[in-house]
């Protein structure tokens, strides 16, 4: 099967700055894929190259098998990008903006397009604002329109570049519910975000960039299990026996931690504590954390 996104050996310099350094990624059709990295890692440059806004110095990019440079029209028609920046035309209403955007891709006004625009407005909670001028919208509403613009030509590949930056909880929940629907319907999603819990919950695979290079590329669960632990945390009364003390590690505020390889270890461990006269006053199990993994990867590369 043709990859949804193919990035091979891409390099880009801006003067002495190497923004992208031999970046190679293959994103399969139907994947929900995260591209993570600190500010200045090259994420937006890579997305701009994928959308044809930046011409790389070396390497190749393709969307659904269409080369971004050689087959620009075909590649761009199969890609929808939600940019970080809020950019809008102040002279049109929300509905007019979406019809104009569809026209850029050669999609004429029709009953089918009108129905799809109405569905986008409904799914993104924009219906009540459909006939408002773009200048009248709040920042969060404008960001919803950017999402609708990226989807109006029904692209199979959708790129979300920090889509929830600075937006309220309602928009975040509305957006992710809709994006999950799109992914379940077969759309490929490429997400960049600084909200790492979003990537952990949503994405099947994760790539991490640092200074223009890919420093990690794994399935989410493999990345978490390789660099982060599931931990049983307890507050106790009493003293640990030697065998349990050897397994334990002290934590903050009087907590004691036991690393778990499997959740099935929890009950035997608690039984061991009880059998030695130790009373467990508080208990929690912490799951592997992508933020911990991200910091580790960034520090070691």
């Amino acid at each position: 099967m043709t990859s949804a996104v193919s990035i091979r050996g891409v390099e880009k310099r801006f003067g002495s700055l190497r923004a992208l350094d031999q970046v190679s990624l293959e994103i399969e059709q139907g994947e929900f894929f995260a591209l993570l990295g600190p500010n200045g890692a090259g994420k937006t440059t890579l997305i701009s190259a994928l959308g044809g806004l930046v011409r790389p110095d070396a390497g190749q990019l393709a969307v659904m098998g269409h080369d971004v440079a050689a087959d620009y029209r075909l590649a761009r028609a199969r890609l929808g990008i939600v940019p970080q920046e809020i950019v809008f035309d102040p002279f049109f209403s929300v509905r007019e903006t979406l019809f104009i955007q569809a026209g850029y891709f050669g999609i004429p006004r029709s009953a089918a397009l009108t129905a799809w625009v109405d569905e986008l407005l409904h799914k993104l909670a924009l219906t009540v604002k459909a006939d408002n001028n773009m200048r009248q919208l709040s920042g969060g509403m404008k960001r919803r329109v950017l999402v609708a613009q990226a989807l109006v030509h029904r692209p199979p590949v959708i790129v979300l570049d920090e889509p929830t930056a600075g937006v309220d909880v309602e928009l975040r929940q509305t957006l992710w519910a809709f994006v999950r629907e799109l992914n379940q319907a077969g759309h490929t999603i490429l997400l960049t975000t600084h909200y790492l819990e979003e990537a952990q919950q949503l994405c099947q695979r994760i790539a991490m960039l640092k200074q223009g290079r890919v420093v990690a590329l794994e399935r989410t669960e493999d990345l978490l299990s390789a660099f982060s632990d599931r931990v049983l945390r307890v507050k106790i009364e009493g003293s640990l026996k030697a065998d349990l003390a050897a397994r334990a590690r002290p934590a903050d505020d009087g907590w004691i931690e036991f690393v778990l390889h499997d959740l099935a270890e929890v009950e035997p461990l608690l039984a061991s504590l009880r059998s030695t006269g130790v009373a467990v006053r508080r208990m929690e199990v912490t799951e592997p954390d992508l933020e911990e993994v991200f910091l580790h990867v960034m520090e070691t590369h």
Side-chain angles (χ1 to χ4, degrees), residues 25 69 162 238:
L25 296 170
E162 299 287 351

Side-chain angles (χ1 to χ4, degrees), residues 91-101 109 130-131 133:
F91 299 105
F92 300 102
S93 70
V94 172
R95 190 183 300 275
E96 289 168 338
T97 296
L98 297 183
F99 280 121
I100 291 168
Q101 182 74 15
R109 291 204 184 201
D131 297 318
N133 187 282

